[in-house]
Amino acid sequence: MGSDISTEQQDRELARMGKALVIHFFVLLKTAQNYKEGHAALNAPLANVLNAIREIHKRNEEASITVKRGYLLIGEVRLKPDSAGLEAFNFVMGEMKRYLIGGLCFLPAVDAEEVQKFVYIFNEIEPIPSPQTHVKFLERMQQRQVFNIELETLGEDDDEYDEFDENELTDKKARSRKIYSQTISAVSEVMDNAKLGQTLRLRKSKRVVQGLIDQLLAAETNLIGLTTIRCHDEYTYNHSVNVCILSLAIGQRIGLSKQKLCELGMSALFHDIGKSEIPLAILNKSTEFSREEWEIMQQHPLLGVKKLMKLKGLDALSARIISGAFEHHLYCDFSGYPRLPYKRLSLFGRIISIADCYDGVTSSRVYSRIPHAPDKALRFMMSRAGKIYDPILMKLFINCIGIYPIGTLLLLDSQELCVVMENNTDPEKWNQPRVKIIADATGKEVSGETVDLADPKSGRTVQETLDPNQYQINVSNYFA
Ligand SMILES: [Fe+2]
Ligand SMILES: [Fe+2]
């Protein structure tokens, strides 16, 4: 995986292979309408479909056809039919829609027999316009033991980030919230599949990570604000998304390309995937771990690597995702775990371990620690820079989340309480963020104004940072 230019070439190549798959699949469906199952006339069309699938898998891509807003996509690439392919495109899309199939994915283990059974299901099920049609189709696949073709329901992806109705979601905050919850759902889907030992499908995750990157590049700082959400039931999902956002924020600061950012985001999103193998009783334990429990817990980076190795084919992208999962507890001086002779941490490993620690230390559910206020967490981490954390990346991290990170609870000299909403972009004014007043000088809760402390008219300065837990304030409320 090189520059963005090579991505373009790869997309073109994938589009060419996708087009071939659609056309061969069309011929196969048509042939199946005219001949009985098992007829020799099916041999050539079946072989062509299979070849097309194999060719895509050889390039470590997913052999999936998706219907989206009147287009067909192969993987993430939109297919543009030429006049020769138009009939095939419309027919395949029409058939998929009739059975409410939004996407179909041929897994690497699929064979000619399964593909044959699959196309005959189109003849066996009456396509009445009801959600039941799709259910019947799935049941029939089960009965006929078609296990290596996966279906997505049409409309399932309707709320994907790229489907946003811009009029409805013009609000920056609403967009950030939406993309955050979509990322949670994508990561939970993958983690649940990982728990069940199923093949990991990362298509959706890749899409949401790209959405996060677009938001970050559009300088919508609300996304970082959302990482203050601490009270989600599933700590690991929340943590994964937060580590992803914070890692991307660092990656953006060091000027990584969009493609590298996507790889970093994926690596960060799945850095703790090995936790899907750790018993919940240990994972959710609210008291100190015993030595045995610690030992089990410390297996999660290696367990994660094993999970990620099962990704369809190993390409450069998966290799980099894996390094993030493997290295995030190793530390720069290798005093962490797993204890293995290791020479050098990868850039992704160094970035993710900073984001991971920051989110872990400031949240309440990791390793039964008491959460630290963001500025205390940063001071604690800064004291370990050079040994545990890469000192330059650490400085960059502070630079991008600010010395009073978004979500910090502050006491002003006016004796008002406020929450940091946005950092000042002017480095000279690092200690003068934009804040929202949440309690007046008498301590009475107010839904107060947003004040720019850098504005001389505000007449207020920061006196000290406070621990939101001590005041029983859930700062994420001000962002969600
Ligand atoms: Fe971890
Ligand atoms: Fe983690």
Side-chain angles (χ1 to χ4, degrees):
M1 299 252 167
S3 64
D4 290 339
I5 297 160
S6 76
T7 316
E8 243 172 63
Q9 276 167 355
Q10 283 174 352
D11 282 358
R12 262 204 303 277
E13 189 56 8
L14 186 59
R16 183 190 62 75
M17 294 188 291
K19 223 152 136 181
L21 174 60
V22 173
I23 291 171
H24 292 312
F25 190 60
F26 157 71
V27 175
L28 179 63
L29 281 169
K30 280 286 195 190
T31 315
Q33 285 181 345
N34 295 317
Y35 293 91
K36 283 223 167 71
E37 199 169 341
H39 193 283
L42 288 149
N43 293 349
L46 267 174
N48 288 337
V49 168
L50 230 32
N51 281 340
I53 295 170
R54 302 274 183 261
E55 207 194 337
I56 295 172
H57 284 151
K58 241 185 256 161
R59 300 185 61 104
N60 290 318
E61 297 286 352
E62 214 172 61
S64 63
I65 305 172
T66 318
V67 178
K68 198 163 226 178
R69 284 191 286 193
Y71 290 100
L72 280 183
L73 282 85
I74 181 85
E76 292 308 306
V77 182
R78 198 165 97 181
L79 298 181
K80 295 186 192 97
D82 44 34
S83 52
L86 200 60
E87 191 194 349
F89 274 56
N90 288 339
F91 185 82
V92 170
M93 191 148 53
E95 284 300 283
M96 286 173 72
K97 282 185 175 170
R98 256 149 57 97
Y99 293 92
L100 302 178
I101 300 171
L104 51 94
C105 178
F106 298 96
L107 301 182
V110 77
D111 59 15
E113 199 191 328
E114 257 184 310
V115 175
Q116 175 161 212
K117 284 190 222 165
F118 180 69
V119 291
Y120 277 91
I121 300 178
F122 285 88
N123 300 347
E124 291 162 6
I125 307 273
E126 188 72 34
I128 42 162
S130 131
Q132 274 308 311
T133 309
H134 187 71
V135 177
K136 277 194 187 143
F137 201 100
L138 289 172
E139 280 170 1
R140 192 83 190 117
M141 283 175 72
Q142 199 79 30
Q143 280 165 9
R144 300 211 62 181
Q145 300 190 313
V146 178
F147 299 128
N148 291 302
I149 300 172
E150 285 181 354
L151 296 194
E152 265 175 47
T153 319
L154 190 68
E156 220 175 41
D157 278 359
D158 275 355
D159 59 353
E160 293 289 350
Y161 76 92
D162 52 352
E163 298 270 347
F164 281 175
D165 179 343
E166 286 299 328
N167 296 326
E168 258 177 51
L169 287 173
T170 41
D171 182 14
K172 284 206 283 190
K173 231 166 139 180
R175 269 205 305 277
S176 306
R177 264 201 317 267
K178 181 118 187 162
I179 184 79
Y180 189 92
S181 67
Q182 280 164 350
T183 317
I184 291 268
S185 108
V187 75
S188 59
E189 211 175 284
V190 173
M191 295 281 262
D192 291 346
N193 282 343
K195 257 179 227 160
L196 299 170
Q198 287 174 357
T199 339
L200 305 181
R201 295 181 57 203
L202 300 184
R203 200 155 51 91
K204 202 170 177 182
S205 311
K206 215 162 155 184
R207 223 153 41 205
V208 290
V209 166
Q210 271 153 355
L212 287 173
I213 294 168
D214 288 343
Q215 294 247 314
L216 277 173
L217 295 182
E220 298 198 354
T221 46
N222 284 317
L223 217 48
I224 295 180
L226 284 179
T227 63
T228 58
I229 294 175
R230 302 287 181 217
C231 48
H232 197 272
D233 295 341
E234 292 283 2
Y235 163 74
T236 306
Y237 301 158
N238 232 288
H239 170 66
S240 303
V241 177
N242 292 349
V243 172
C244 175
I245 294 173
L246 296 170
S247 299
L248 287 175
I250 303 176
Q252 185 198 353
R253 282 286 161 135
I254 55 174
L256 294 183
S257 70
K258 242 178 140 174
Q259 193 198 335
K260 276 270 155 55
L261 282 176
C262 181
E263 293 176 4
L264 171 65
M266 293 290 282
S267 183
L269 199 57
F270 297 111
H271 76 282
D272 268 340
I273 197 166
K275 285 191 180 169
S276 62
E277 296 260 299
I278 306 283
L280 279 178
I282 300 182
L283 212 55
N284 293 335
K285 201 177 173 200
S286 56
T287 49
E288 289 287 324
F289 287 142
S290 67
R291 234 190 88 171
E292 290 75 27
E293 286 167 338
W294 244 120
E295 268 162 23
I296 295 174
M297 199 63 192
Q298 290 190 351
Q299 288 171 7
H300 80 268
L302 219 51
L303 291 171
V305 170
K306 282 190 192 150
K307 288 270 172 213
L308 293 167
M309 297 280 269
K310 285 193 193 147
L311 287 173
K312 37 114 201 177
L314 260 188
D315 56 9
L317 172 64
S318 336
R320 273 192 280 260
I321 297 180
I322 290 173
S323 69
F326 182 66
E327 297 174 7
H328 76 278
H329 291 292
L330 266 173
Y331 302 149
C332 281
D333 61 357
F334 306 105
S335 59
Y337 60 88
R339 289 220 170 262
L340 286 170
Y342 215 68
K343 285 209 186 74
R344 199 170 165 266
L345 290 192
S346 68
L347 175 64
F348 285 9
R350 282 176 284 152
I351 293 176
I352 294 168
S353 66
I354 291 176
D356 178 52
C357 175
Y358 177 75
D359 187 70
V361 168
T362 53
S363 73
S364 52
R365 285 192 52 195
V366 76
Y367 308 146
S368 61
R369 282 199 203 102
I370 298 160
H372 290 290
D375 64 308
K376 298 220 172 65
L378 286 181
R379 260 199 292 276
F380 162 75
M381 289 176 70
M382 211 39 208
S383 71
R384 305 167 94 195
K387 282 177 66 194
I388 307 281
Y389 306 110
D390 181 312
I392 296 167
L393 289 176
M394 196 56 224
K395 279 196 188 125
L396 273 170
F397 181 60
I398 294 183
N399 218 284
C400 79
I401 63 169
I403 189 75
Y404 301 127
I406 295 173
T408 307
L409 185 65
L410 298 175
L411 176 67
L412 301 177
D413 60 349
S414 60
Q415 299 307 303
E416 292 160 305
L417 279 186
C418 65
V419 173
V420 176
M421 302 302 284
E422 212 176 308
N423 279 116
N424 206 312
T425 41
D426 181 350
E428 300 270 293
K429 298 175 178 166
W430 57 272
N431 57 351
Q432 296 172 307
R434 271 167 66 85
V435 299
K436 187 177 173 64
I437 311 285
I438 59 166
D440 66 15
T442 65
K444 202 174 105 219
E445 205 177 312
V446 291
S447 165
E449 38 175 343
T450 304
V451 178
D452 185 351
L453 295 182
D455 180 355
K457 275 186 263 159
S458 85
R460 299 156 165 112
T461 54
V462 177
Q463 187 165 318
E464 62 175 315
T465 59
L466 302 171
D467 179 357
N469 298 292
Q470 216 175 332
Y471 293 82
Q472 295 191 328
I473 291 168
N474 185 353
V475 288
S476 71
N477 286 346
Y478 300 98
F479 299 95

